[in-house]
Amino acid sequence: MDNISVIISGLTVVLSVVSVFISFYSVFTTNDKNIKLENYVYAIIDERKKKSAVDVCIRIFDFVFALFGLIVMLPIIVIVSIALKNTTKKSVIVKIKKIGKNGNEVNIYGFRTDKNDELDSLNMFLIKTGIKNIPQLFNVLRGDLSIYGLAQIDAETFKKAKKEISEFDDAYNYYRPGVVSLSSLERYINKESYYSFLNQSNIKFINNRGFKLMFKMMKHTMNLVFSK
């Protein structure tokens, strides 16, 4: 039984890391983003969904998922850090301010990808593979992000969106942005305002958050990768 438990634990770690890497790779490298969700269109946040016990389970999932991901991806983090340190005197980790829960700004981590001759090839590799975003798992551990959550936006975009849509901040007053969001998986069509698109994607996520939606999003990211 002990051996079986070890095997199951090992498989769990591997599956967690693979799914994290697939999420990074597909969301940040594909231009063919589209996810179909039936009956998931809502105009406002459902008040009945604002307090849900599932959020506790999601937070536990986020923490375990990110912890396993960081442990197994530690060799990649070390190698990338050394490669970057050999080509720049600056910090290999950058902090980008984004809007977090309750509308507060948070520092989102990522590998430095400055555009210059020395870093160009490495820069493109980190971006194309999504590896530049692996440090975001530290944000998940801290509770700044969820693996699946709202759209990541900066303060300027947030201000412009709120000016156009007064209730735009409602979603952020309740939930966290995610490493992966519905807006990153859905196809934006120029028939509507981009801010309206973001708002609707955020509302759809909040009203339907849970493991069923998370598995839909995970399945979609996998389909994007393996269809290439």
Side-chain angles (χ1 to χ4, degrees), residues 16-65:
S16 297
V17 173
V18 169
S19 56
V20 169
F21 185 79
I22 286 175
S23 295
F24 279 126
Y25 181 80
S26 60
V27 170
F28 292 103
T29 62
T30 180
N31 292 320
D32 184 22
K33 298 171 182 174
N34 188 31
I35 185 169
K36 295 180 180 179
L37 299 174
E38 297 179 1
N39 302 320
Y40 275 53
V41 180
Y42 293 85
I44 60 174
I45 296 176
D46 187 340
E47 292 292 333
R48 295 170 299 177
K49 300 293 184 71
K50 283 193 172 182
K51 294 181 179 180
S52 175
V54 74
D55 290 340
V56 177
C57 296
I58 291 176
R59 178 58 190 144
I60 294 173
F61 168 82
D62 282 342
F63 187 88
V64 174
F65 198 83

Side-chain angles (χ1 to χ4, degrees), residues 62-89:
D62 282 342
F63 187 88
V64 174
F65 198 83
L67 183 60
F68 279 153
L70 286 170
I71 291 174
V72 178
M73 290 186 182
L74 184 59
I76 296 177
I77 295 173
V78 172
I79 292 171
V80 172
S81 298
I82 293 174
L84 288 173
K85 200 63 181 177
N86 287 335
T87 54
T88 180
K89 295 181 179 180

Side-chain angles (χ1 to χ4, degrees), residues 5 10 22 43 72 98 100 106 139 170 194 206 209 218-219 223:
S5 298
I22 286 175
V72 178
K98 296 290 182 69
V106 294
N139 290 109
D170 286 354
Y194 180 64
I206 286 182
R209 71 189 182 282
M218 185 180 294
K219 179 181 178 181
N223 287 339

Side-chain angles (χ1 to χ4, degrees), residues 102-129:
N102 297 318
N104 299 319
E105 282 191 321
V106 294
N107 290 317
I108 303 301
Y109 301 121
F111 282 119
R112 180 176 297 279
T113 53
D114 293 337
K115 293 185 179 294
N116 56 52
D117 293 337
E118 290 183 340
L119 280 177
D120 187 57
S121 59
L122 180 58
N123 169 64
M124 293 306 298
F125 173 76
L126 296 179
I127 293 175
K128 286 183 176 181
T129 58

